[in-house]
Amino acid sequence: MRIVHLDENSKKNVLENLLKRSPNHYAEYEKQVADILAKVREEKDTALFAYTKQFDGAELSKDTVLVTKEEIKEAYSLIEASLITVIQKAIVEIRAYHEKQKQYSWFDSTPSGTILGQKVTPLSKVGVYVPGGKAAYPSSVLMNVVPAKVAGVEEIIMTTPCNKEGKVNPATLVAAKEAGVNRIFKVGGAQAIAAMAYGTESIPKVDKIVGPGNIYVALAKKAVFGYVSIDSVAGPSEILVLADETANARYVAADLLSQAEHDEMASAILVTTSLELAKQVSEEVDGFTALLSRKELIQKSLDQYGYILLADSLEDAISVVNEIASEHLEIQTKDAFTVMTKIKNAGAIFIGEYSSEPLGDYFAGPNHVLPTNGTAKFFSPLSVDDFIKKSSIISYSKEALAPIHQDIITFAEAESLTAHANSIRVRFEK
């Protein structure tokens, strides 16, 4: 991996290079995505099935687009019993963590006759998109579905691509069944997002769409925002390790590669104050890469978006960490918890050398759907909050309104909203 001395100029170059990975920089695909969305919105199932044939090679109809109970039963027989057990264990941990995020309605009353409060209501219908194709991610099923179930969402539907024979990855189906998905549809890509956003004869319109996908899926979600809510427009995966001379170079290298293998646009960065550690990590990365199954993809990722940034001080290192605002941040320093208190921007923070990033991907409990491309500066991980909405509650008696009614009239007339003022005034006519 390249070792770059950290200064203002190098920091600027790194940040600019990382931003090239944002879905906002792929305008050339937007026209194609817009055409797909418009076609599905207008022609519904006809367009949906035509695009599935075009992109996935599968012949679907209204009778075959829905995954059947028999197909789910078959899926259980096609995967190892040990994987089913692991999925069930992971659900327990994920549910336990997200249960602590639940919010409840509240009301405050006063003797003068006011009642103010907030009513918390789960979303009625949520659509979960799960990628297919080259890889299957049952862990993403759990991370998107479990918090929705904890929130109390009435119906969860899922869309995921099928193969040419119309089959869905069995691990994905098992994860969906275990997590509590109500219906699963065998469609993917921008056309699946369109179906959930607008509704077709086979797939219902939902209130919110969550889940990761390729650039077409990301741009489709961005385009339908407003017709439905979305979780985020996710970019390629990324990891940043903040380490000092006390870190284990072999652990650091292994963790960097755990994200580099996702995608050739994934980002893996080490920020360190130790030149010796930087050199050791670079050597370990080379050694691991030569042995790993995705070595060509990993090398492309490292060549484009992999860095070892050498900082003059821990303060400088923390500063650039907050600027990059990585999806995953590992802290492997002498006093990691103190360092953690100085971190402002990160999707998930892993503290200590035995808290490697894959722990969060699969099992610890916190959600692995995280903000990318610097959006951790203002976005949060997926949570139960994403599957509820809040309504304000206001109730005043005449006795409570009387002392302030003239103040409201004054405010309304200052904004030239005389009907507003009149709405209050008529209640106190003699």
Side-chain angles (χ1 to χ4, degrees):
M1 289 180 71
R2 63 191 134 177
I3 299 175
V4 178
H5 183 264
L6 188 61
D7 57 27
E8 284 303 315
N9 189 52
S10 62
K11 181 168 74 172
K12 179 182 176 184
N13 290 338
V14 169
L15 291 171
E16 287 179 352
N17 191 42
L18 293 177
L19 285 175
K20 293 175 184 176
R21 303 155 58 252
S22 169
N24 293 323
H25 287 226
Y26 288 86
E28 66 266 31
Y29 299 103
E30 288 180 349
K31 174 66 166 60
Q32 185 178 354
V33 169
D35 289 344
I36 293 171
L37 297 177
K39 194 94 168 170
V40 173
R41 187 178 187 186
E42 181 180 347
E43 299 180 10
K44 302 188 183 301
D45 272 356
T46 300
L48 182 65
F49 299 149
Y51 282 125
T52 301
K53 173 65 175 174
Q54 178 182 342
F55 297 130
D56 299 320
E59 293 273 7
L60 293 180
S61 69
K62 64 178 182 178
D63 298 320
T64 58
V65 67
L66 180 68
V67 173
T68 64
K69 292 180 180 178
E70 290 72 26
E71 287 174 301
I72 294 173
K73 184 178 179 181
E74 180 188 31
Y76 275 83
S77 70
L78 294 174
I79 68 172
E80 295 290 336
S82 59
L83 177 57
I84 298 173
T85 300
V86 168
I87 287 172
Q88 292 168 340
K89 285 182 177 179
I91 288 173
V92 171
E93 300 300 327
I94 297 165
R95 184 186 294 120
Y97 180 87
H98 287 83
E99 285 280 358
K100 294 178 174 65
Q101 298 176 337
K102 287 182 73 172
Q103 295 192 45
Y104 300 91
S105 301
W106 58 267
F107 302 91
D108 279 343
S109 61
T110 65
S112 64
T114 68
I115 300 175
L116 299 176
Q118 183 172 270
K119 184 175 184 291
V120 175
T121 307
L123 301 183
S124 295
K125 192 171 292 179
V126 166
V128 176
Y129 184 88
V130 177
K134 297 178 182 178
Y137 298 104
S139 61
S140 286
V141 177
L142 306 187
M143 292 295 182
N144 283 277
V145 175
V146 171
K149 294 292 288 185
V150 170
V153 173
E154 293 174 22
E155 183 176 9
I156 302 171
I157 72 164
M158 190 175 97
T159 61
T160 188
C162 60
N163 62 18
K164 293 179 180 180
E165 289 73 43
K167 296 290 187 180
V168 174
N169 181 277
T172 297
L173 291 184
V174 169
K177 175 65 175 175
E178 292 290 333
V181 174
N182 298 98
R183 288 186 283 173
I184 307 166
F185 296 94
K186 306 173 185 178
V187 292
Q191 61 271 23
I193 301 301
M196 291 190 285
Y198 307 129
T200 74
E201 294 90 345
S202 298
I203 299 179
K205 182 185 187 305
V206 301
D207 300 315
K208 185 165 190 168
I209 299 172
V210 300
N214 62 19
I215 188 64
Y216 296 98
V217 170
L219 290 174
K221 286 172 67 178
K222 182 180 175 184
V224 300
F225 178 65
Y227 294 97
V228 293
S229 179
I230 64 171
D231 51 351
S232 65
V233 180
S237 189
E238 53 200 31
I239 184 170
L240 192 156
V241 180
L242 173 58
D244 61 15
E245 70 282 356
T246 66
N248 183 311
R250 193 165 173 82
Y251 294 174
V252 172
D255 294 353
L256 292 171
L257 296 177
S258 73
Q259 294 306 292
E261 76 169 343
H262 267 298
D263 188 321
E264 64 186 45
M265 294 179 68
S267 168
I269 299 174
L270 166 63
V271 180
T272 183
T273 52
S274 169
L275 177 58
E276 183 179 355
L277 179 73
K279 292 177 178 177
Q280 289 175 351
V281 169
S282 184
E283 291 174 6
E284 292 284 0
V285 164
D286 291 342
F288 278 133
T289 301
L291 302 174
L292 294 169
S293 61
R294 294 188 172 195
K295 58 185 175 183
E296 290 84 7
L297 187 153
I298 289 171
Q299 197 58 57
K300 286 182 180 178
S301 168
L302 296 177
D303 289 346
Q304 294 182 100
Y305 304 109
Y307 295 94
I308 297 176
L309 302 179
L310 187 62
D312 292 329
S313 67
L314 185 58
E315 288 70 27
D316 288 345
I318 292 170
S319 176
V320 76
V321 165
N322 282 322
E323 279 293 312
I324 294 172
S326 185
E327 177 187 20
H328 306 99
L329 169 64
E330 291 188 6
I331 303 175
Q332 298 190 33
T333 61
K334 186 163 42 182
D335 194 357
F337 277 92
T338 298
V339 171
M340 179 271 292
T341 65
K342 300 177 182 179
I343 300 300
K344 297 178 180 178
N345 306 319
I349 303 173
F350 300 78
I351 302 173
E353 64 181 13
Y354 289 99
S355 305
S356 65
E357 188 279 335
L359 174 65
D361 272 352
Y362 298 114
F363 219 83
N367 211 287
H368 79 197
V369 181
L370 303 167
T372 57
N373 285 114
T375 60
K377 290 179 178 178
F378 44 83
F379 282 145
S380 304
L382 191 73
S383 71
V384 171
D385 291 351
D386 288 286
F387 299 100
I388 62 170
K389 58 190 181 71
K390 301 168 186 175
S391 302
S392 300
I393 301 297
I394 302 167
S395 176
Y396 268 60
S397 66
K398 184 174 183 179
E399 291 71 24
L401 182 60
I404 61 169
H405 83 278
Q406 190 57 54
D407 296 333
I408 300 169
I409 291 170
T410 300
F411 222 143
E413 289 178 342
E415 295 183 349
S416 299
L417 297 176
T418 54
H420 279 61
N422 189 58
S423 171
I424 298 294
R425 186 179 287 112
V426 297
R427 283 166 167 76
F428 295 91
E429 290 176 338
K430 293 182 180 178

